[in-house]
């Protein structure tokens, strides 16, 4: 039997594919459930314990683009931090706010008449970070007695 190089390469590729098929069935399906033991390759990131009061990722139906959703998330962070500073409340106020309030507050933060770019997200993030830092300074974390 006389086999040339292209035929040998094709046979090697076919053998490699056939050997790899059983491994495909054993692969783990990635999950984002933080309560399960997820493999590193899934890139699932569990929420930090201290992040229980952090504004969650906005729902996809809140706005058409991620840019807008990120802006509304920053606006909600600003509203919560402003309320915490005004009321001098050192408790989580997240449950007292809704995404509708972020949408309603848009005119206050709007920097453009362009519907797809009504605000500067980076500026909103900077403002939210600064206000949250003021809240953290005014409300130091509770220290363990031990």
């Amino acid at each position: 039997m006389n086999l040339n190089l292209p035929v040998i390469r094709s046979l090697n590729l076919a053998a490699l594919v056939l050997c790899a098929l059983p491994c495909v069935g054993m692969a783990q399906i990635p999950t984002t459930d933080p309560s399960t033991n997820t493999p590193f390759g899934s890139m699932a990131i569990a929420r930090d314990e201290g992040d229980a009061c952090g504004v969650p990722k906005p729902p996809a139906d809140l706005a058409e683009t991620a840019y807008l959703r990120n802006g509304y998330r920053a606006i909600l962070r600003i509203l919560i931090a402003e309320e915490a500073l005004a009321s001098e409340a050192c408790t989580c106020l997240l449950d007292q706010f809704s995404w509708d309030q972020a949408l309603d507050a848009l005119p206050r933060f709007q920097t453009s008449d362009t519907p797809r770019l009504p605000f500067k997200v980076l500026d909103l993030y900077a403002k939210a970070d600064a206000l949250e830092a003021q809240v953290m300074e005014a409300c130091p974390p509770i220290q363990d007695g031990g």
Side-chain angles (χ1 to χ4, degrees):
M1 178 188 252
N2 187 9
L3 298 176
N4 59 17
L5 190 58
V7 172
I8 293 173
R9 285 186 179 165
S10 296
L11 289 174
N12 283 340
L13 179 61
L16 180 65
V17 169
L18 289 174
C19 289
L21 283 176
C23 296
V24 171
M26 293 186 287
Q28 285 186 315
I29 297 171
T31 178
T32 57
D33 182 6
S35 65
T36 61
N37 187 9
T38 56
F40 177 76
S42 76
M43 299 305 287
I45 300 171
R47 287 182 72 115
D48 292 337
E49 298 261 340
D51 197 22
C53 192
V55 176
K57 204 172 166 181
D61 61 351
L62 182 68
E64 181 182 353
T65 65
Y67 183 87
L68 292 172
R69 289 189 299 271
N70 289 335
Y72 289 126
R73 181 176 186 232
I75 289 172
L76 194 59
R77 287 176 54 207
I78 291 168
L79 297 175
I80 292 171
E82 286 175 343
E83 179 61 28
L85 290 170
S87 66
E88 298 180 359
C90 290
T91 59
C92 181
L93 300 176
L94 180 60
D95 61 345
Q96 297 177 22
F97 287 84
S98 69
W99 291 111
D100 288 336
Q101 287 171 288
L103 295 172
D104 292 343
L106 173 62
R108 180 175 151 204
F109 299 99
Q110 192 166 351
T111 58
S112 166
D113 290 333
T114 307
R116 291 184 156 264
L117 301 170
F119 39 64
K120 295 178 182 172
V121 172
L122 293 178
D123 291 350
L124 293 175
Y125 275 7
K127 182 174 179 115
D129 289 344
L131 288 169
E132 287 173 346
Q134 289 178 22
V135 171
M136 292 300 290
E137 187 177 308
C139 301
I142 299 171
Q143 301 294 322
D144 278 342

